[in-house]
Amino acid sequence: MLKSETIDVEAVRRDFPILKRKVHGKRLVYLDNAATTQKPQSVIDALVDYYSRYNSNVHRSVHTLGEEATEAYEDSRRKVAKFVGAQAKETVFVRGTTEATNLVRFAWGEKYVKKGDLIVATLMEHHSNIVPWQLLAKSRGAVLKYVGLTPDGELDMGSLEGLLRESPRLVAFAHCSNVLGTINDVATICTKARSAGATTIVDGAQSVPHLPVDLASLGADFYAFSGHKMLGPTGIGVLIGKKRLLEEMDPFEGGGEMIREVFEDHSTWNDVPHKFEAGTVNVAGAIGFGAAVDYLSRLGMDKVREHEVRLLDYAYDALSSLKGFHAYGPEDTKKRSGLIAFNYADVHPHDLATILDEEGVAIRSGHHCAQLLMRCLDVSATNRASFYVYNSYDDVDALRHGIEKAGAIFKV
Ligand code: PMP
């Protein structure tokens, strides 16, 4: 068990009903948190409470249920914004990080990106921070170029500066890589990008769940993250944008509640953030997201981070002595978030993940929606173990035991 004063893991585990279940007769060891996290009872209760007591549409009806639902939805927006040092008026509820980048692609990109403009992304991006820019570059006749990586798995700042000299319109990058774990220096990159005249969009899908994040000090124009990766429900996330930008942008989708007035030949728009929330929104999801933020706030994000660093250090010690074990990303655990992508001798990641599953250990194997990065690493796939607040040293021990079992089967 984790001998750490940072988080009482035993108590945390009791809050997560799913952790009581067995998989193939073994204790569930859930190490696929970068894909999605488990939900505490308080989040499940918040969803059930909404549906059983005050289910209603928001921003429409004056009846009691409608007012309670609207208040809870807007309260969640305030909580999520405060959690990352942002303003509620700058915080747009979306389906998740993927919808956030696509919103920026359509509502900002189609308006401001012109023929011949440069868009900069990086080789460590998740596909959700690459493909929208490829589509935008195609529709606007713009050019997309990528910041390269150092051998240690960090962004090559020389490569970034070279591209900034070409005055890009947009710079898109992740706060934390979902494969390498690398924590990028958002404040420095945003300052440099702004000096070059570029707008910035930061993918916070793997940072906000794991690190204290203060957007006021980071300076990003747009910042996106997903609720389900931080104990919340699926289908809800946020795009946080500078208010001036959100106000100047075109709407993303047209429909109910995003308008102020509709005439036969044109319409006028609601205030931000509602201008970007067309139709019936994910009320339950937003309320559950607020409950997830409450849970993490009670634990304290400094403690969450400290807990993960200890697990990372322990995992490195436990795993790196295995013959044929190769981890990717910066070696310094202070420079990375709580996950380890690795390969084990020539055991295919899907085979390893299948053997681990038989032991009750859930990890991810594959390209992690980062095929450009896989090509940089010269592999087609990796394994990835990713930690969260309910993981402990005994989970790492179970992972090591499962890898050893695979080693015996494949005669590593
Ligand atoms: N960016 C990163 C770094 C991610 O890890 C993920 C999820 N794997 C996403 C974006 C996409 O998030 P979502 O599927 O919630 O939209």
Side-chain angles (χ1 to χ4, degrees):
M1 189 41 69
L2 187 60
K3 293 165 204 69
S4 134
E5 301 85 55
T6 55
I7 283 181
D8 180 351
V9 178
E10 282 297 348
V12 167
R13 280 185 183 174
R14 282 195 292 276
D15 292 336
F16 288 78
I18 207 168
L19 297 180
K20 292 191 189 79
R21 74 161 283 183
K22 297 223 179 317
V23 172
H24 300 301
K26 305 273 169 59
R27 176 175 79 84
L28 169 62
V29 174
Y30 187 78
L31 296 175
D32 195 14
N33 294 290
T36 199
T37 56
Q38 299 306 340
K39 319 304 172 199
Q41 190 64 50
S42 58
V43 168
I44 299 167
D45 287 347
L47 299 175
V48 172
D49 187 45
Y50 163 68
Y51 280 126
S52 36
R53 267 199 332 107
Y54 60 102
N55 171 56
S56 183
N57 216 323
V58 293
H59 298 132
R60 289 157 169 79
S61 316
V62 295
H63 57 70
T64 302
L65 267 50
E67 293 207 340
E68 286 178 7
T70 302
E71 180 48 33
Y73 180 77
E74 290 303 327
D75 192 43
S76 283
R77 191 197 305 278
R78 286 189 288 274
K79 281 181 194 169
V80 175
K82 185 163 171 248
F83 188 67
V84 292
Q87 303 295 320
K89 279 194 171 349
E90 306 170 323
T91 304
V92 181
F93 278 126
V94 289
R95 205 155 45 81
T97 308
T98 304
E99 190 172 61
T101 50
N102 281 281
L103 190 161
V104 174
R105 177 236 154 151
F106 282 104
W108 180 87
E110 293 293 340
K111 182 166 183 180
Y112 293 108
V113 173
K114 305 275 181 282
K115 193 170 167 39
D117 277 353
L118 174 63
I119 300 169
V120 170
T122 91
L123 289 175
M124 67 168 72
E125 297 313 305
H126 186 278
H127 295 161
S128 63
N129 206 18
I130 294 174
V131 182
W133 314 129
Q134 289 176 341
L135 295 167
L136 177 63
K138 191 156 184 235
S139 74
R140 303 302 298 157
V143 179
L144 175 58
K145 293 186 183 175
Y146 298 92
V147 178
L149 308 181
T150 67
D152 202 24
E154 296 186 54
L155 288 181
D156 177 344
M157 293 306 270
S159 158
L160 171 71
E161 271 154 26
L163 291 169
L164 291 180
R165 281 194 286 278
E166 296 179 41
S167 302
R169 178 73 58 195
L170 180 70
V171 176
F173 65 101
H175 193 158
C176 288
S177 158
N178 64 321
V179 180
L180 302 166
T182 316
I183 302 173
N184 291 316
D185 182 350
V186 175
T188 301
I189 297 170
C190 287
T191 304
K192 287 178 193 285
R194 194 177 322 110
S195 309
T199 297
T200 48
I201 177 161
V202 179
D203 169 354
Q206 298 294 347
S207 48
V208 176
H210 303 284
L211 316 170
V213 170
D214 174 36
L215 292 191
S217 62
L218 294 183
D221 292 309
F222 297 107
Y223 195 100
F225 51 99
S226 303
H228 70 97
K229 292 182 195 283
M230 46 189 291
L231 311 181
T234 50
I236 191 77
V238 287
L239 172 71
I240 296 177
K242 294 258 168 71
K243 192 149 171 280
R244 178 186 53 81
L245 284 173
L246 294 175
E247 278 167 353
E248 287 169 6
M249 281 155 63
D250 285 335
F252 175 36
E253 293 174 321
E257 290 302 311
M258 51 73 70
I259 50 85
R260 182 167 307 290
E261 278 190 280
V262 176
F263 303 94
E264 282 192 17
D265 59 345
H266 78 286
S267 301
T268 57
W269 313 134
N270 202 342
D271 293 334
V272 293
H274 310 291
K275 176 172 110 180
F276 298 106
E277 295 179 4
T280 297
V281 289
N282 184 355
V283 187
I287 290 170
F289 195 2
V293 162
D294 284 342
Y295 191 93
L296 288 171
S297 302
R298 280 195 298 275
L299 288 179
M301 289 309 292
D302 284 324
K303 290 195 173 163
V304 171
R305 170 67 179 149
E306 178 63 28
H307 174 72
E308 290 186 17
V309 169
R310 287 183 195 205
L311 281 174
L312 269 178
D313 284 334
Y314 184 84
Y316 269 112
D317 282 352
L319 303 177
S320 51
S321 56
L322 290 167
K323 196 176 97 198
F325 181 87
H326 180 78
Y328 301 95
E331 278 183 17
D332 181 352
T333 48
K334 295 271 180 298
K335 288 186 174 176
R336 56 186 299 152
S337 64
L339 59 84
I340 301 183
F342 63 93
N343 272 310
Y344 178 53
D346 49 12
V347 181
H348 193 281
H350 291 330
D351 292 333
L352 182 61
T354 305
I355 292 168
L356 284 166
D357 181 58
E358 285 165 12
E359 298 296 306
V361 180
I363 64 160
R364 168 92 186 261
S365 58
H367 57 60
H368 315 288
C369 301
Q371 290 185 357
L372 300 190
L373 177 59
M374 292 297 114
R375 278 186 213 112
C376 288
L377 300 176
D378 200 20
V379 291
S380 59
T382 77
N383 306 281
R384 181 184 66 192
S386 49
F387 305 118
Y388 213 22
V389 292
Y390 34 69
N391 293 125
S392 182
Y393 294 157
D394 52 2
D395 293 342
V396 178
D397 294 342
L399 173 64
R400 183 185 157 111
H401 173 76
I403 298 174
E404 282 172 333
K405 188 178 161 198
I409 294 169
F410 284 93
K411 304 198 179 357
V412 173

mmCIF file of all heavy atoms in Angstrom, residues 321-342:
data_model
loop_
_atom_site.group_PDB
_atom_site.id
_atom_site.type_symbol
_atom_site.label_atom_id
_atom_site.label_comp_id
_atom_site.label_asym_id
_atom_site.label_seq_id
_atom_site.Cartn_x
_atom_site.Cartn_y
_atom_site.Cartn_z
ATOM 1 N N SER A 321 14.121 -2.315 -14.122
ATOM 2 C CA SER A 321 15.083 -3.414 -13.986
ATOM 3 C C SER A 321 14.647 -4.654 -14.777
ATOM 4 O O SER A 321 15.400 -5.624 -14.897
ATOM 5 C CB SER A 321 15.250 -3.762 -12.502
ATOM 6 O OG SER A 321 13.979 -4.070 -11.972
ATOM 7 N N LEU A 322 13.403 -4.626 -15.332
ATOM 8 C CA LEU A 322 12.965 -5.782 -16.128
ATOM 9 C C LEU A 322 13.743 -5.812 -17.446
ATOM 10 O O LEU A 322 13.791 -4.795 -18.157
ATOM 11 C CB LEU A 322 11.461 -5.659 -16.446
ATOM 12 C CG LEU A 322 10.481 -5.841 -15.292
ATOM 13 C CD1 LEU A 322 9.083 -5.368 -15.718
ATOM 14 C CD2 LEU A 322 10.442 -7.301 -14.868
ATOM 15 N N LYS A 323 14.307 -6.956 -17.757
ATOM 16 C CA LYS A 323 15.079 -7.077 -19.001
ATOM 17 C C LYS A 323 14.164 -6.796 -20.204
ATOM 18 O O LYS A 323 13.069 -7.353 -20.279
ATOM 19 C CB LYS A 323 15.645 -8.502 -19.095
ATOM 20 C CG LYS A 323 16.754 -8.647 -20.112
ATOM 21 C CD LYS A 323 17.331 -10.046 -20.067
ATOM 22 C CE LYS A 323 16.659 -10.842 -21.147
ATOM 23 N NZ LYS A 323 16.647 -12.215 -21.202
ATOM 24 N N GLY A 324 14.589 -5.889 -21.094
ATOM 25 C CA GLY A 324 13.783 -5.610 -22.289
ATOM 26 C C GLY A 324 12.744 -4.523 -22.091
ATOM 27 O O GLY A 324 11.969 -4.223 -23.005
ATOM 28 N N PHE A 325 12.711 -3.923 -20.884
ATOM 29 C CA PHE A 325 11.731 -2.852 -20.634
ATOM 30 C C PHE A 325 12.274 -1.539 -21.170
ATOM 31 O O PHE A 325 13.418 -1.159 -20.886
ATOM 32 C CB PHE A 325 11.477 -2.734 -19.119
ATOM 33 C CG PHE A 325 10.467 -1.669 -18.759
ATOM 34 C CD1 PHE A 325 9.112 -1.953 -18.743
ATOM 35 C CD2 PHE A 325 10.888 -0.377 -18.449
ATOM 36 C CE1 PHE A 325 8.188 -0.971 -18.419
ATOM 37 C CE2 PHE A 325 9.963 0.611 -18.125
ATOM 38 C CZ PHE A 325 8.618 0.312 -18.113
ATOM 39 N N HIS A 326 11.475 -0.849 -21.977
ATOM 40 C CA HIS A 326 11.922 0.438 -22.517
ATOM 41 C C HIS A 326 10.802 1.465 -22.379
ATOM 42 O O HIS A 326 9.724 1.289 -22.936
ATOM 43 C CB HIS A 326 12.317 0.291 -23.990
ATOM 44 C CG HIS A 326 12.769 1.586 -24.580
ATOM 45 N ND1 HIS A 326 14.024 2.111 -24.342
ATOM 46 C CD2 HIS A 326 12.121 2.490 -25.353
ATOM 47 C CE1 HIS A 326 14.121 3.285 -24.951
ATOM 48 N NE2 HIS A 326 12.982 3.534 -25.582
ATOM 49 N N ALA A 327 11.070 2.527 -21.597
ATOM 50 C CA ALA A 327 10.048 3.568 -21.394
ATOM 51 C C ALA A 327 10.347 4.761 -22.299
ATOM 52 O O ALA A 327 11.501 5.021 -22.641
ATOM 53 C CB ALA A 327 10.049 4.009 -19.938
ATOM 54 N N TYR A 328 9.303 5.485 -22.674
ATOM 55 C CA TYR A 328 9.442 6.661 -23.540
ATOM 56 C C TYR A 328 9.203 7.938 -22.729
ATOM 57 O O TYR A 328 8.513 7.914 -21.716
ATOM 58 C CB TYR A 328 8.443 6.583 -24.699
ATOM 59 C CG TYR A 328 8.642 5.329 -25.529
ATOM 60 C CD1 TYR A 328 7.885 4.192 -25.279
ATOM 61 C CD2 TYR A 328 9.632 5.275 -26.508
ATOM 62 C CE1 TYR A 328 8.082 3.026 -26.001
ATOM 63 C CE2 TYR A 328 9.836 4.111 -27.238
ATOM 64 C CZ TYR A 328 9.062 2.989 -26.984
ATOM 65 O OH TYR A 328 9.283 1.837 -27.690
ATOM 66 N N GLY A 329 9.773 9.027 -23.222
ATOM 67 C CA GLY A 329 9.531 10.325 -22.582
ATOM 68 C C GLY A 329 10.646 10.710 -21.630
ATOM 69 O O GLY A 329 11.565 9.929 -21.370
ATOM 70 N N PRO A 330 10.574 11.944 -21.102
ATOM 71 C CA PRO A 330 11.648 12.453 -20.231
ATOM 72 C C PRO A 330 11.862 11.533 -19.016
ATOM 73 O O PRO A 330 10.902 11.013 -18.454
ATOM 74 C CB PRO A 330 11.119 13.813 -19.765
ATOM 75 C CG PRO A 330 10.038 14.179 -20.699
ATOM 76 C CD PRO A 330 9.481 12.916 -21.258
ATOM 77 N N GLU A 331 13.147 11.343 -18.637
ATOM 78 C CA GLU A 331 13.427 10.459 -17.500
ATOM 79 C C GLU A 331 13.119 11.126 -16.174
ATOM 80 O O GLU A 331 12.785 10.457 -15.199
ATOM 81 C CB GLU A 331 14.887 10.017 -17.540
ATOM 82 C CG GLU A 331 15.063 8.866 -18.496
ATOM 83 C CD GLU A 331 16.465 8.325 -18.534
ATOM 84 O OE1 GLU A 331 17.252 8.613 -17.614
ATOM 85 O OE2 GLU A 331 16.754 7.618 -19.522
ATOM 86 N N ASP A 332 13.232 12.457 -16.136
ATOM 87 C CA ASP A 332 13.014 13.190 -14.899
ATOM 88 C C ASP A 332 11.503 13.221 -14.600
ATOM 89 O O ASP A 332 10.734 13.837 -15.339
ATOM 90 C CB ASP A 332 13.568 14.619 -15.080
ATOM 91 C CG ASP A 332 13.408 15.450 -13.833
ATOM 92 O OD1 ASP A 332 12.747 14.983 -12.883
ATOM 93 O OD2 ASP A 332 13.935 16.573 -13.817
ATOM 94 N N THR A 333 11.092 12.568 -13.516
ATOM 95 C CA THR A 333 9.655 12.462 -13.242
ATOM 96 C C THR A 333 9.030 13.831 -12.956
ATOM 97 O O THR A 333 7.817 13.984 -13.050
ATOM 98 C CB THR A 333 9.363 11.508 -12.062
ATOM 99 O OG1 THR A 333 10.219 11.837 -10.980
ATOM 100 C CG2 THR A 333 9.562 10.075 -12.460
ATOM 101 N N LYS A 334 9.856 14.819 -12.609
ATOM 102 C CA LYS A 334 9.304 16.169 -12.364
ATOM 103 C C LYS A 334 8.847 16.817 -13.683
ATOM 104 O O LYS A 334 8.096 17.782 -13.688
ATOM 105 C CB LYS A 334 10.353 17.068 -11.707
ATOM 106 C CG LYS A 334 10.769 16.609 -10.310
ATOM 107 C CD LYS A 334 9.853 17.240 -9.255
ATOM 108 C CE LYS A 334 10.182 16.852 -7.832
ATOM 109 N NZ LYS A 334 10.084 15.440 -7.485
ATOM 110 N N LYS A 335 9.377 16.296 -14.793
ATOM 111 C CA LYS A 335 9.043 16.889 -16.097
ATOM 112 C C LYS A 335 7.897 16.174 -16.782
ATOM 113 O O LYS A 335 7.606 16.420 -17.950
ATOM 114 C CB LYS A 335 10.262 16.813 -17.023
ATOM 115 C CG LYS A 335 11.378 17.756 -16.667
ATOM 116 C CD LYS A 335 12.415 17.658 -17.757
ATOM 117 C CE LYS A 335 13.515 18.672 -17.587
ATOM 118 N NZ LYS A 335 14.553 18.487 -18.590
ATOM 119 N N ARG A 336 7.263 15.210 -16.076
ATOM 120 C CA ARG A 336 6.236 14.438 -16.773
ATOM 121 C C ARG A 336 5.030 14.180 -15.884
ATOM 122 O O ARG A 336 5.119 14.202 -14.664
ATOM 123 C CB ARG A 336 6.823 13.132 -17.287
ATOM 124 C CG ARG A 336 7.462 12.281 -16.207
ATOM 125 C CD ARG A 336 8.137 11.085 -16.790
ATOM 126 N NE ARG A 336 7.155 10.270 -17.478
ATOM 127 C CZ ARG A 336 7.445 9.485 -18.501
ATOM 128 N NH1 ARG A 336 8.669 9.405 -18.953
ATOM 129 N NH2 ARG A 336 6.509 8.751 -19.070
ATOM 130 N N SER A 337 3.928 13.899 -16.539
ATOM 131 C CA SER A 337 2.697 13.614 -15.801
ATOM 132 C C SER A 337 2.665 12.123 -15.443
ATOM 133 O O SER A 337 3.556 11.366 -15.835
ATOM 134 C CB SER A 337 1.484 14.013 -16.634
ATOM 135 O OG SER A 337 1.433 13.226 -17.780
ATOM 136 N N GLY A 338 1.613 11.709 -14.734
ATOM 137 C CA GLY A 338 1.597 10.378 -14.136
ATOM 138 C C GLY A 338 1.264 9.226 -15.051
ATOM 139 O O GLY A 338 0.298 8.497 -14.816
ATOM 140 N N LEU A 339 2.043 9.062 -16.088
ATOM 141 C CA LEU A 339 1.848 7.898 -16.959
ATOM 142 C C LEU A 339 3.192 7.436 -17.508
ATOM 143 O O LEU A 339 4.153 8.209 -17.564
ATOM 144 C CB LEU A 339 0.894 8.234 -18.114
ATOM 145 C CG LEU A 339 1.256 9.370 -19.066
ATOM 146 C CD1 LEU A 339 2.204 8.914 -20.182
ATOM 147 C CD2 LEU A 339 -0.007 9.933 -19.702
ATOM 148 N N ILE A 340 3.238 6.152 -17.870
ATOM 149 C CA ILE A 340 4.455 5.619 -18.493
ATOM 150 C C ILE A 340 4.049 4.827 -19.730
ATOM 151 O O ILE A 340 3.320 3.833 -19.629
ATOM 152 C CB ILE A 340 5.223 4.661 -17.557
ATOM 153 C CG1 ILE A 340 5.619 5.359 -16.260
ATOM 154 C CG2 ILE A 340 6.477 4.141 -18.254
ATOM 155 C CD1 ILE A 340 6.440 4.479 -15.329
ATOM 156 N N ALA A 341 4.534 5.276 -20.879
ATOM 157 C CA ALA A 341 4.378 4.483 -22.105
ATOM 158 C C ALA A 341 5.646 3.659 -22.246
ATOM 159 O O ALA A 341 6.747 4.172 -22.017
ATOM 160 C CB ALA A 341 4.182 5.394 -23.303
ATOM 161 N N PHE A 342 5.491 2.402 -22.621
ATOM 162 C CA PHE A 342 6.668 1.537 -22.671
ATOM 163 C C PHE A 342 6.478 0.389 -23.655
ATOM 164 O O PHE A 342 5.355 0.069 -24.043
ATOM 165 C CB PHE A 342 6.982 0.961 -21.263
ATOM 166 C CG PHE A 342 5.899 0.075 -20.708
ATOM 167 C CD1 PHE A 342 5.926 -1.314 -20.893
ATOM 168 C CD2 PHE A 342 4.829 0.612 -20.009
ATOM 169 C CE1 PHE A 342 4.917 -2.134 -20.379
ATOM 170 C CE2 PHE A 342 3.814 -0.194 -19.488
ATOM 171 C CZ PHE A 342 3.861 -1.565 -19.676
#
